[in-house]
Amino acid sequence: EIVKNKWDRPEWMAHPSVQRSCLFEFILPMTYASGSSKMEGGTTDVGKGTAAIAGTQTLNVNQQLRLGVRALDFGMVVAKDRDNSLWVACGLLNVELRDALLQSKRFLATHRKEVVFLFAGKADRWASEGFIKDLEGEDENPQRIPGQSIREVVNEVLGEF
């Protein structure tokens, strides 16, 4: 549908006028809860005050990038029942951070003049459930940098991209 309707804008940053511009001279298209096109887990807690389904996106990360989005918003949690892996979450677990980053990496590998900005922070609505406790612990631990676990996954997946 994206291609059919000619909404596909995977290389808008490669345009010569954009290449000559400073970053502050244009507005980056951004999506909120960028990983929320997929929902993991059941809905047993819905209506009990512990979970709110928030599917704000219908397109996955790669599709959003193909449309021209260049800033992604990821609310992060630690999924204790999934080997303590980092997940993008908005109401329910959406997508593992590694998967979202791999989609970005594959896009950037084929569109070399594009830049993607990643905004990843604690999904605060999960605080009462204990899903961000480990992330909050980095704020208090002098041996860790706030957000270090997120940075480690980003560096592991994207490397020196």
Side-chain angles (χ1 to χ4, degrees), residues 36-100:
S36 67
S37 68
K38 180 179 174 186
M39 298 290 178
E40 292 284 330
T43 58
T44 56
D45 289 334
V46 175
K48 297 180 183 176
T50 57
I53 294 179
T56 62
Q57 300 301 328
T58 57
L59 303 174
N60 65 32
V61 169
N62 180 61
Q63 291 167 325
Q64 292 174 55
L65 294 173
R66 290 198 57 79
L67 278 174
V69 170
R70 292 299 175 267
L72 301 170
D73 168 54
F74 293 155
M76 303 303 308
V77 299
V78 176
K80 296 285 186 190
D81 61 341
R82 298 173 192 227
D83 297 323
N84 291 324
S85 56
L86 287 167
W87 280 69
V88 178
C90 185
L92 293 174
L93 296 179
N94 299 125
V95 64
E96 190 172 357
L97 177 59
R98 290 177 194 284
D99 293 340

Side-chain angles (χ1 to χ4, degrees), residues 11 15 20 26 28 35 51 60 63 71 74 77 99 102 117-118 127 142 147 158:
E11 295 185 341
H15 191 278
R20 287 190 302 272
F26 53 92
L28 291 172
N60 65 32
Q63 291 167 325
F74 293 155
V77 299
D99 293 340
L102 283 171
F117 292 83
L118 174 63
L158 298 180

Side-chain angles (χ1 to χ4, degrees), residues 6-12 65-68 70 107 114:
K6 299 182 181 176
W7 297 336
D8 202 28
R9 299 284 186 267
E11 295 185 341
W12 69 266
L65 294 173
R66 290 198 57 79
L67 278 174
R70 292 299 175 267
F107 175 83
E114 302 304 298

